[in-house]
């Protein structure tokens, strides 16, 4: 029976725990110092407070002080904390990670290096390990259209495991598969890791089109669809510029995840508030009051920096990303026009 420790008992870590129990894995779930209330609920057999699904009694839970015990002897370590927690949690977990056969990551985001360079998550984690003189096992980037609640509840779910070593991706895609949790193996780690945070940015823009419908009483489906197409194009442009395969953005981590994120979720909800006219700054404050982290917001300037450091000429081909910056960070009151101009094809 393969074994895993999942680091982070939030929505996704706990959703993955349920999926792996169904696939016959032995699962340890470690909660960070922010997760005691979540571990309390899991241990009590109550629905997980973030996803309203009960976590299997076969999952063994650990609190933050018990990290070494949680990692002892496992085959795989999965990183499922929010991107802000990655440096600290990886640093603490390095001794255990170095003994594992693979490091999986469901976390989505970019990591700025000390010199300000923007790194994709695996590169950032490799840099942390290198600094500490620790050798990492293969990294498996996990993404795709996966809402943690549905995954936890055994609804049909398709995901992608991206690893530079395709054999490793295939091995885990086989071992973690259950009837309703299906995994596409890929060797395009970079493509998976570019799409994952970028779709959060673009989901905000899809939300704006929904909010415009609420505001005006008229559907803005054409605008939303044009936004969707441009978002996918931009994910593909950036992926290819960073050495990924073009097809990845048109598959599960790009189109697939953008669809599910644009249907519901915190980024889309935030965008809808902007679209309704609440103002980007005020809407973000409201989201914070509701304890709703909008991951796409911090991703915008990081993505802009990544584009500029990769190839400044990409800017012209990625107007939607720069429109997101203008709307969210400059709180542009003409957000409807800014969005439309970014996604409508120019006059030929
Ligand atoms: N929820 C989903 O459907 C889903 C799906 C796929 C991927 N993801 C990704 O998985 C990651 C976790 O998302 P989630 O939905 O589980 O979020 P969550 O808010 O439910 O849980 C966040 C986890 O990160 C930890 N964390 C947060 N800030 C931290 C900090 N500063 N230091 C240390 N630990 C910290 C928390 O303790 C918790 O374990 C995100 O990158 C998200 O994009 C989420």
């Amino acid at each position: 029976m393969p074994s895993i420790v999942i680091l982070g008992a939030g929505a996704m870590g706990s959703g993955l725990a349920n999926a792996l129990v169904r696939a016959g894995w032995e699962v340890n779930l470690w909660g960070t110092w922010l997760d005691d209330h979540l571990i309390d609920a899991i241990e009590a057999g109550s629905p997980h407070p973030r996803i309203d699904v009960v976590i299997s009694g076969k999952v063994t839970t650990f609190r933050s002080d018990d990290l070494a015990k949680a990692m002892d002897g496992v085959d795989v370590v999965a990183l499922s904390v929010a991107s802000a927690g990655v440096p600290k949690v990886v640093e603490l977990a390095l001794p255990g990670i170095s003994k594992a056969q693979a490091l999986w990551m469901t976390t989505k985001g970019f990591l700025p290096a000390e010199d300000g360079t923007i790194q994709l998550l695996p590169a950032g984690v490799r840099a942390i390990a290198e600094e500490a003189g620790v050798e990492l096992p293969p990294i498996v980037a996990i993404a795709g259209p996966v809402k943690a609640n549905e995954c936890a509840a055994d609804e049909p779910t398709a995901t992608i495991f991206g690893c530079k070593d395709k054999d490793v991706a295939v091995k885990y895609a086989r071992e973690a598969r259950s009837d309703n949790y299906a995994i596409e193996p890929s060797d395009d780690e970079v493509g998976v890791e570019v799409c994952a945070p970028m779709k959060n940015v673009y989901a905000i823009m899809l939300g704006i089109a929904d909010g415009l419908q609420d505001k005006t009483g008229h559907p803005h489906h054409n605008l939303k669809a044009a936004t969707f197409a441009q978002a996918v194009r931009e994910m593909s442009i950036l992926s290819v510029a960073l050495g990924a395969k073009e097809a990845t953005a048109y598959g599960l981590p790009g189109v697939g995840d953008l669809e599910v994120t644009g249907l519901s979720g915190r980024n889309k909800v935030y965008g809808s508030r902007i679209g309704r006219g609440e103002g980007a700054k005020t809407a973000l404050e409201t989201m914070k009051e509701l304890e709703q982290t909008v991951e796409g917001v911090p991703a915008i300037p990081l993505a802009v920096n990544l584009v500029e450091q990769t190839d400044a000429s990409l800017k012209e081909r990625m107007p939607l990303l720069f429109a997101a910056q203008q709307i969210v960070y400059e709180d542009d009151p003409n957000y409807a026009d800014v969005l439309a101009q970014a996604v409508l094809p120019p006059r030929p």
Side-chain angles (χ1 to χ4, degrees):
M1 187 192 269
S3 61
I4 188 165
V5 59
I6 299 171
L7 305 179
M12 193 56 221
S14 305
L16 181 65
N18 266 8
L20 292 176
V21 164
R22 286 188 199 105
W25 286 57
E26 201 177 301
V27 181
N28 291 350
L29 180 62
W30 175 78
T32 73
W33 45 96
L34 303 172
D35 293 347
D36 279 352
H37 62 302
L38 304 177
I39 298 286
D40 287 342
I42 295 169
E43 289 177 348
S46 311
H48 189 293
R50 301 257 164 88
I51 51 177
D52 204 22
V53 178
V54 172
I55 303 307
S56 165
K58 291 185 180 165
V59 172
T60 310
T61 47
F62 295 84
R63 286 166 198 264
S64 56
D65 289 347
D66 277 338
L67 180 59
K69 221 155 95 187
M71 300 191 86
D72 190 32
V74 295
D75 300 317
V76 172
V77 177
L79 191 59
S80 282
V81 294
S83 51
V86 167
K88 179 83 184 152
V89 171
V90 167
E91 206 179 292
L92 290 172
L94 269 181
I97 295 173
S98 67
K99 293 189 197 112
Q101 292 162 27
L103 172 61
W104 297 5
M105 291 188 196
T106 71
T107 307
K108 298 172 178 175
F110 300 113
L111 270 192
E114 270 174 21
D115 66 359
T117 312
I118 308 304
Q119 309 167 105
L120 299 183
L121 217 50
V125 170
R126 287 188 184 105
I128 294 170
E130 201 177 320
E131 177 121 327
V134 170
E135 198 165 325
L136 285 183
I139 290 179
V140 178
I142 301 183
V146 178
K147 298 301 287 183
N149 56 335
E150 293 185 27
C151 175
D154 203 22
E155 298 296 344
T157 296
T159 186
I160 188 163
F161 281 16
C163 180
K164 286 182 176 174
D165 183 340
K166 179 86 181 272
D167 291 342
V168 173
V170 171
K171 169 183 156 69
Y172 291 121
R174 278 201 190 111
E175 291 182 359
R177 164 90 202 211
S178 54
D179 287 348
N180 281 333
Y181 185 65
I183 302 143
E184 180 181 306
S186 163
D187 62 4
D188 192 8
E189 175 198 286
V190 171
V192 171
E193 286 294 343
V194 171
C195 291
M198 292 302 287
K199 60 88 199 170
N200 284 335
V201 172
Y202 295 126
I204 296 174
M205 305 306 268
L206 294 175
I208 293 176
D210 286 337
L212 281 167
Q213 173 165 350
D214 298 339
K215 184 180 175 191
T216 61
H218 309 299
H220 280 62
H221 295 160
N222 293 359
L223 176 64
K224 189 172 182 185
T227 303
F228 193 96
Q230 181 61 25
V232 175
R233 203 174 292 133
E234 294 192 11
M235 285 192 283
S236 159
I237 289 168
L238 183 58
S239 301
V240 169
L242 289 163
K245 292 179 178 163
E246 192 173 10
T248 303
Y250 293 93
L252 292 173
V255 170
D257 209 356
L258 184 61
E259 167 68 6
V260 88
T261 312
L263 285 172
S264 61
R266 297 168 274 198
N267 294 288
K268 176 234 144 76
V269 169
Y270 171 59
S272 307
R273 286 181 176 275
I274 297 175
R276 287 202 293 267
E278 290 181 21
K281 206 167 153 228
T282 309
L284 192 59
E285 278 159 15
T286 307
M287 295 297 286
K288 276 188 192 145
E289 278 161 23
L290 297 170
E291 292 188 26
Q292 301 281 306
T293 310
V294 188
E295 282 193 304
V297 171
I300 293 171
L302 300 178
V304 164
N305 287 351
L306 179 63
V307 166
E308 284 168 350
Q309 89 192 22
T310 304
D311 175 356
S313 74
L314 293 177
K315 187 172 174 178
E316 274 170 37
R317 300 167 64 207
M318 300 184 65
L320 187 54
L321 171 63
F322 288 84
Q325 183 186 37
Q326 191 173 336
I327 293 170
V328 171
Y329 280 86
E330 294 167 29
D331 215 342
D332 195 321
N334 296 318
Y335 58 88
D337 286 340
V338 172
L339 172 58
Q341 290 317 311
V343 301
L344 296 181
R347 286 172 200 273

